[in-house]
């Protein structure tokens, strides 16, 4: 069945470091792919999405490219800030949503 | 535009008690969902609804019930609360099912003692 495998955390980075959070998926057909972010004590917010192969989603300096050949949707940011500290969830949407287990990111000054 | 709202934010229940978690959305979405989030486990779908009067089970429905009498509201009922239901509960809604973005509420943290 459909599933999402996400890089385990926690991840700790210094401010201005490069961020990569790996996400791979298993699905039949053509799912949409999403990254959600959850700040402490809050619900999930959509960060970015891509709906077909080779699409690049981007928002707030974050990017992810829908790679069908490697079944991946890795999240990247060139220079993280303290305010990026949160939990990041990769998700797949086809008949229903499937979420990864989340990756906690802490950015230290 | 409030989006998806949930009440209460936090609740402590004793084993065997019951309660209703409220969820309301003002985006006129037909699809609504209830998830639970356990530490390190991601989100698991409890129930979902494709429109007023239509609900269906998700991955972990046991111990819960739902109803959908209006487009806006999708309450989740816990009967005979158990410690295994200690979790954070999120309501979400979407314009369409599957490939469309889901919009989440702020969550209800439930502790069953």
């Amino acid at each position: 069945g459909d599933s999402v495998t996400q890089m385990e955390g926690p991840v700790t980075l210094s401010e201005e470091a490069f961020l990569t959070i790996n996400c791979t998926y298993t699905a039949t057909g053509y799912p949409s792919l999403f990254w959600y972010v959850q700040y402490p004590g809050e619900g999930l917010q959509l960060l970015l999405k891509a709906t077909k192969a080779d699409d690049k989603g981007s928002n707030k300096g974050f990017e992810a490219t829908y790679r069908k050949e490697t079944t991946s949707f890795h999240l990247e940011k060139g220079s993280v800030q303290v305010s990026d500290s949160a939990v990041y969830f990769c998700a797949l949407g086809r008949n229903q949503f499937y979420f990864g287990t989340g990756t906690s990111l802490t950015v230290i000054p | 535009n409030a989006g998806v709202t949930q009440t209460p934010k936090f609740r402590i229940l004793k084993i065997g008690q019951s309660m209703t978690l409220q969820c309301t959305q003002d985006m006129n979405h037909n699809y609504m969902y209830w998830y639970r989030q356990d530490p390190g486990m991601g989100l698991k779908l409890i129930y979902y609804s494709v429109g007023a009067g239509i609900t269906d089970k998700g991955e972990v429905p046991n111990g819960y019930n739902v109803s959908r009498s209006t487009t806006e509201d999708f309450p989740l009922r816990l009967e005979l609360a158990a410690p295994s239901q200690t979790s954070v509960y999120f309501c979400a809604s979407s314009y369409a099912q599957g490939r469309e973005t889901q919009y989440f509420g702020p969550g209800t943290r439930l502790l069953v003692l």
Side-chain angles (χ1 to χ4, degrees):
Chain A
D2 294 358
S3 66
V4 173
T5 302
Q6 187 175 340
M7 169 180 161
E8 290 193 14
V11 174
T12 302
L13 294 174
S14 297
E15 205 165 24
E16 299 184 1
F18 184 84
L19 169 71
T20 299
I21 301 178
N22 290 336
C23 172
T24 57
Y25 68 91
T26 301
T28 56
Y30 300 94
S32 293
L33 299 173
F34 305 82
W35 278 102
Y36 282 83
V37 59
Q38 184 180 30
Y39 299 103
E42 298 184 10
L44 279 70
Q45 303 175 23
L46 178 68
L47 181 59
L48 53 85
K49 64 184 274 190
T51 59
K52 61 182 187 295
D54 300 324
D55 265 4
K56 178 185 283 187
S58 62
N59 186 26
K60 299 180 181 179
F62 291 90
E63 292 183 341
T65 301
Y66 191 141
R67 302 280 189 202
K68 191 164 178 63
E69 63 276 14
T70 55
T71 62
S72 65
F73 193 55
H74 305 321
L75 182 68
E76 297 182 336
K77 186 175 186 183
S79 177
V80 294
Q81 305 300 312
V82 172
S83 57
D84 294 326
S85 298
V87 180
Y88 293 82
F89 290 91
C90 185
L92 174 159
R94 197 170 65 87
N95 294 327
Q96 64 179 68
F97 261 47
Y98 298 88
F99 288 88
T101 53
T103 301
S104 175
L105 170 67
T106 300
V107 180
I108 55 177
Chain B
N1 191 340
V4 181
T5 58
Q6 293 182 239
T7 56
K9 288 186 178 181
F10 176 67
R11 182 78 181 267
I12 299 175
L13 280 183
K14 294 182 179 179
I15 294 172
Q17 288 185 322
S18 60
M19 76 166 291
T20 299
L21 283 67
Q22 302 292 345
C23 174
T24 300
Q25 54 92 9
D26 63 0
M27 296 175 281
N28 201 33
H29 286 166
N30 282 326
Y31 295 83
M32 296 187 74
Y33 314 85
W34 275 105
Y35 293 91
R36 59 177 287 171
Q37 183 183 32
D38 300 315
M41 299 295 291
L43 279 76
K44 294 190 183 296
L45 182 65
I46 304 171
Y47 270 96
Y48 67 97
S49 170
V50 302
I54 307 170
T55 63
D56 206 350
K57 296 177 181 179
E59 183 181 358
V60 290
N62 291 344
Y64 307 94
N65 278 300
V66 294
S67 59
R68 183 96 181 270
S69 57
T70 66
T71 299
E72 295 79 18
D73 300 308
F74 190 40
L76 177 71
R77 178 83 176 164
L78 277 71
E79 305 281 2
L80 299 174
S84 61
Q85 294 178 304
T86 293
S87 190
V88 181
Y89 292 84
F90 289 102
C91 180
S93 72
S94 65
Y95 175 73
Q97 194 173 20
R99 289 171 52 85
E100 294 297 321
T101 301
Q102 292 188 12
Y103 298 88
F104 284 79
T108 293
R109 183 174 298 274
L110 177 65
L111 180 60
V112 182
L113 299 174

